[in-house]
Amino acid sequence: MTSKPEFETQRGVLLPGRKGKHRKRHRARWIALTLVAVMIYPVVTFVQALTYPGAATLAARTSDWARGIGAGQVVNMAENWWYTRHAPANTLPDTGSLPSAQQVAQPAATGPADLQASGSALPGEGIWIPGARTADGRIADYTTYLRADPQHASVVAGIAMLDQGVVSTQLVAGTKEPGGSGWPGGAQVPQSLRSSLLATFNSGFKLADTSGGFYLGGRMAKPLKDGIASLVIDSSGTVSVGQWGRDVTMGPNIAAVRQNLELVVDNGKPVAGLAGNPAGQWGSASNQFQFTWRSGIGTDSAGHLIYVGGAQLTLTTLADVMARAGIVRGMELDIHTGMVTFNTYRPDQPGTSPAKLLPSMPSPADRYLAPDQRDFFAVTLRAKAAPGSVQQQ
């Protein structure tokens, strides 16, 4: 029996035979199936990203999806292109970006020393506004704002100071960060804490985007790394911020550790090299130049916990205003629109609505009262002041 010819001739022209035609059809079929598979994967994963449990903006879900399918470099390039080409105005801030006139009109009679404004102060700039009070009348938190960039007068940073003698802080895992299941809290402020809730604020970068680790309640989501900036919470709910292995280490009384990049403030000053980011210590190359939402956290010499956040901040302007706010050691938290959130509550005034640190913060003031994709911090009033707690002056 003779095999079918792979090629046939017709009028002297060499043509594919039936066997050759079959191979071509087979090859075309596999190419088509491969193309379909390649197209299906991003569509399916994008739908999964859009429907993943927990609150998150469309932009955040899209960015996370793109990084998850290996397009992180593309996302970084797009962010650098956009944020470095939209410099803020060198004019007075829009009134909508500042705390309300009613709030700034009620400074504390006694409290921490006001912060120094750069140039002529705007109404309320640098003046600490008291927040909630404990049952014995002590003020638990203060807020204010500063213009953060001498070259761009419209840039404003909100600042919150928390008295750790009368407040307790918890790290809460999100539905997506740090990953895994079974974390306590249900990715939201637990109901048991809501009557004493004082503040909530965002955590750091996604763990995939930083070499730092995550520890909570005896469980390690990602190994802790020496040299990385770390927010450490002990069993009493008191926060320390420092370099892991130098300032802070693991011990039996450690309840949680959230690491993120490297310190941006040390010994009360911005650390050297922020403008160059030579080894990517503070995120992807050139992200330090982006005019974008940024946040940072640290402690001052008296042990107060201080949060700073604002729009159109570069890494250097963030670190500068953190140092001006009194932070001795501080770290950058998350960045970009929708990632920077600080909300205050009044447990001393039941029924009062939560308020944003800055009215221009994009996320709702009640964020974290429902499951959220990202991990975050919740601050509550202590049942009673901790022994040796910091007293407001």
Side-chain angles (χ1 to χ4, degrees):
M1 180 177 179
T2 58
S3 61
K4 297 177 181 177
E6 190 164 342
F7 292 92
E8 299 174 344
T9 58
Q10 182 177 349
R11 295 182 180 179
V13 179
L14 190 64
L15 300 172
R18 281 174 287 178
K19 187 175 182 180
K21 291 178 179 178
H22 176 73
R23 287 186 176 180
K24 281 194 170 184
R25 286 196 298 269
H26 186 69
R27 188 181 301 115
R29 187 180 299 115
W30 275 108
I31 291 174
L33 289 174
T34 301
L35 289 174
V36 169
V38 169
M39 294 173 64
I40 286 176
Y41 176 75
V43 172
V44 170
T45 54
F46 187 57
V47 171
Q48 290 173 339
L50 293 180
T51 57
Y52 197 91
T57 64
L58 176 60
R61 290 175 184 268
T62 302
S63 175
D64 289 349
W65 163 79
R67 294 183 186 279
I69 63 171
Q73 291 296 327
V74 175
V75 175
N76 292 339
M77 291 173 60
E79 289 176 346
N80 283 336
W81 183 90
W82 175 262
Y83 289 116
T84 57
R85 285 165 173 77
H86 290 79
N90 189 23
T91 59
L92 290 179
D94 184 277
T95 55
S97 66
L98 303 177
S100 68
Q102 181 181 8
Q103 182 182 12
V104 301
Q106 299 174 354
T110 60
D114 291 336
L115 302 179
Q116 184 66 44
S118 57
S120 299
L122 297 177
E125 183 176 5
I127 298 175
W128 290 112
I129 307 302
R133 294 180 179 270
T134 63
D136 60 359
R138 292 178 57 181
I139 300 173
D141 64 311
Y142 291 86
T143 58
T144 189
Y145 75 93
L146 287 174
R147 282 175 291 170
D149 187 345
Q151 304 302 316
H152 303 93
S154 62
V155 177
V156 170
I159 306 168
M161 175 187 288
L162 306 167
D163 179 355
Q164 295 205 86
V166 297
V167 305
S168 176
T169 302
Q170 291 191 19
L171 173 62
V172 181
T175 61
K176 203 166 189 178
E177 289 293 315
S181 59
W183 297 101
Q188 60 185 309
V189 177
Q191 290 291 338
S192 60
L193 299 181
R194 297 192 181 188
S195 63
S196 60
L197 184 63
L198 182 76
T200 56
F201 61 93
N202 61 278
S203 184
F205 284 25
K206 290 183 63 179
L207 293 181
D209 298 330
T210 175
S211 58
F214 184 106
Y215 172 83
L216 177 61
R219 178 178 171 187
M220 195 81 70
K222 185 180 177 183
L224 303 173
K225 184 177 178 181
D226 283 349
I228 300 300
S230 307
L231 186 154
V232 181
I233 307 175
D234 68 18
S235 55
S236 73
T238 301
V239 172
S240 299
V241 176
Q243 182 184 107
W244 191 255
R246 186 196 71 177
D247 310 309
V248 286
T249 56
M250 183 57 74
N253 68 328
I254 300 302
V257 181
R258 183 48 154 101
Q259 296 190 317
N260 197 55
L261 310 172
E262 295 187 9
L263 291 177
V264 297
V265 175
D266 201 9
N267 296 315
K269 299 178 180 179
V271 302
L274 293 178
N277 191 19
Q281 305 101 306
W282 299 286
S284 60
S286 298
N287 97 85
Q288 70 272 17
F289 300 125
Q290 295 178 15
F291 296 101
T292 187
W293 278 95
R294 294 182 189 267
S295 56
I297 192 77
T299 54
D300 66 8
S301 58
H304 301 111
L305 185 63
I306 299 177
Y307 175 99
V308 175
Q312 295 185 299
L313 294 168
T314 64
L315 183 59
T316 53
T317 53
L318 171 67
D320 179 66
V321 76
M322 289 172 67
R324 290 169 58 197
I327 290 177
V328 175
R329 288 196 299 267
M331 58 191 282
E332 185 177 36
L333 293 176
D334 216 345
I335 66 174
H336 294 330
T337 303
M339 303 300 180
V340 177
T341 304
F342 190 103
N343 301 313
T344 59
Y345 294 75
R346 295 298 301 263
D348 57 334
Q349 298 178 2
T352 303
S353 298
K356 302 177 185 181
L357 178 60
L358 290 176
S360 55
M361 285 181 165
S363 296
D366 60 355
R367 184 177 179 180
Y368 305 126
L369 297 186
D372 200 273
Q373 289 194 358
R374 297 296 188 92
D375 58 296
F376 66 94
F377 297 95
V379 183
T380 57
L381 289 178
R382 296 181 185 273
K384 61 179 181 178
S389 63
V390 177
Q391 299 291 328
Q392 301 290 358
Q393 301 300 317

